[in-house]
């Protein structure tokens, strides 16, 4: 690792070290039920990872997040393509999607509890409706961003449909797709916790409710960190996909 890479790595870690130091200082000045010591939080996190029953609660929440996001992404992608091809459909669907985007997540939680009986259906519905407008609009922008001049240039070579998708459409859509996923991951994690707090009997949100009832701040922090780790891992995976799928950009930047 070069000195520059080491310096950048240290700069990215420094804010977390400062936050941990501030928390540890607060734990020495304030009661433990407000700011528990960091070693106790780390120990509780490890206990959750090593206990399959509690780890399964984390995995259940992760599965709910991914199921809802995949559903919203697929439906949003279909709507985006249709809206890009038919302006009349965009005028008809765009305003309702904008209206849905303004409804708070907590309202969807209340609606889902009233409308549906099953917990999984409720949470899938909530994540789907809170993520669908954003996915649709971001993917629509990505479709429209495809250069018309570049499209005409590619058509000169009479490509087959799969060649057209591989050479032009896919590289043009990938940045928008990755941006949409990066933006929705954190939001979906927050939404699913609220949904589980109110209407579930398992998952990270339910466990947070148990910690709140016992005034166990150590447990609350440990369970919260489970979702933070999941979001960070997913962001890292999306970064790997970004680097591989768009590696031609690095070549272009070096050439400039």
């Amino acid at each position: 690792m070069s000195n520059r890479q080491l310096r950048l790595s240290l700069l990215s870690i420094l804010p977390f070290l400062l936050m941990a130091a501030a928390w540890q200082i607060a734990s020495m000045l304030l009661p433990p039920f407000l700011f528990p010591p960091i070693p106790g939080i780390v120990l509780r996190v490890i206990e959750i990872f090593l206990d399959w029953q509690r780890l399964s609660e984390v995995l259940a929440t992760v599965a709910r997040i991914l199921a809802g996001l995949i559903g919203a992404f697929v439906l949003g992608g279909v709507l985006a393509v249709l809206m890009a091809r038919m302006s009349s459909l965009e005028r008809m669907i765009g305003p309702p999607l904008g209206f849905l985007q303004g409804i708070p997540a907590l309202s969807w939680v209340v609606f889902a509890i009233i409308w549906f009986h099953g917990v999984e259906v409720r949470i899938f519905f909530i994540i789907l409706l809170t993520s669908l407008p954003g996915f649709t609009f971001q993917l629509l922008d990505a479709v429209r961003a495809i250069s018309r001049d570049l499209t005409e240039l590619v058509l000169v070579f009479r490509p087959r449909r799969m060649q057209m998708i591989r050479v032009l459409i896919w590289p043009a859509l990938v940045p928008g797709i990755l941006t949409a996923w990066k933006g929705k991951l954190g939001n979906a994690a927050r939404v699913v916790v609220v949904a589980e707090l109110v209407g579930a009997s398992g998952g990270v949100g339910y466990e947070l409710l148990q910690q709140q009832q016992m005034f166990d701040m150590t447990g609350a922090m440990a369970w919260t960190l489970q979702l933070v780790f999941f979001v960070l891992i997913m962001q890292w995976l999306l970064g790997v996909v970004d680097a591989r799928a768009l590696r031609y950009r690095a070549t272009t930047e070096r050439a400039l």
Side-chain angles (χ1 to χ4, degrees):
M1 180 181 293
S2 65
N3 291 335
R4 183 175 180 275
Q5 290 175 325
L6 180 60
R7 187 164 58 252
L8 291 175
S9 299
L10 291 176
L11 286 175
S12 63
I13 296 173
L14 182 60
F16 297 100
L17 295 177
L18 293 176
M19 287 190 293
W23 184 281
Q24 187 63 25
I25 293 172
S27 70
M28 294 185 290
L29 301 175
L30 297 170
F33 69 88
L34 294 178
F35 288 90
I38 286 182
I41 297 173
V42 173
L43 182 61
R44 187 71 66 87
V45 169
I46 295 173
E47 289 176 354
I48 294 173
F49 274 119
L50 296 180
D51 186 338
W52 170 249
Q53 183 174 356
R54 286 187 285 184
L55 182 60
S56 64
E57 301 290 344
V58 179
L59 296 178
T61 298
V62 169
R64 290 164 178 165
I65 293 173
L66 293 178
L69 286 178
I70 291 171
F73 172 72
V74 172
L75 182 56
V78 172
L79 291 177
V81 171
L82 293 176
M83 291 166 67
R85 294 175 65 89
M86 294 179 282
S87 58
S88 59
L89 187 63
E90 180 187 359
R91 288 192 292 269
M92 184 170 60
I93 296 179
L97 286 175
F99 176 79
L100 293 178
Q101 202 167 24
I103 299 177
L106 186 57
S107 297
W108 287 119
V109 173
V110 175
F111 299 158
I113 292 174
I114 295 174
W115 288 341
F116 304 108
H117 178 69
V119 172
E120 303 303 330
V121 176
R122 289 174 180 172
I123 296 177
F124 179 81
F125 171 81
I126 294 165
I127 298 179
L128 178 70
L129 268 294
T130 54
S131 303
L132 178 61
F135 269 128
T136 303
F137 289 134
Q138 286 180 288
L139 293 175
L140 178 61
D141 289 340
V143 172
R144 285 179 170 167
I146 299 176
S147 171
R148 178 169 296 182
D149 292 338
L150 186 59
T151 302
E152 293 176 354
L153 177 63
V154 173
L155 289 175
V156 169
F157 296 94
R158 300 182 183 276
R160 294 189 296 272
R161 176 170 297 182
M162 289 306 300
Q163 290 176 322
M164 189 76 172
I165 293 174
R166 180 174 59 84
V167 173
L168 177 66
I169 298 176
W170 178 246
L173 293 182
V174 166
I177 292 172
L178 294 176
T179 300
W181 270 91
K182 290 175 183 178
K184 292 304 172 186
L185 268 172
N187 181 66
R190 292 188 291 270
V191 169
V192 77
V193 167
V194 175
E196 291 176 342
L197 275 170
V198 178
S201 57
V204 174
Y206 174 79
E207 293 295 338
L208 283 172
L209 180 62
Q210 304 308 306
Q211 309 309 310
Q212 179 264 324
Q213 292 174 348
M214 296 184 293
F215 287 89
D216 184 358
M217 189 63 181
T218 302
M221 286 296 299
W223 283 103
T224 299
L225 288 173
Q226 308 304 316
L227 281 187
V228 173
F229 294 151
F230 160 70
V231 173
L232 290 176
I233 291 171
M234 289 300 298
Q235 294 281 8
W236 175 78
L237 289 175
L238 290 172
V240 172
V241 173
D242 192 335
R244 289 182 176 275
L246 304 177
R247 56 184 178 271
Y248 63 87
R249 294 191 305 186
T251 305
T252 304
E253 291 171 359
R254 285 196 297 268
L256 294 176

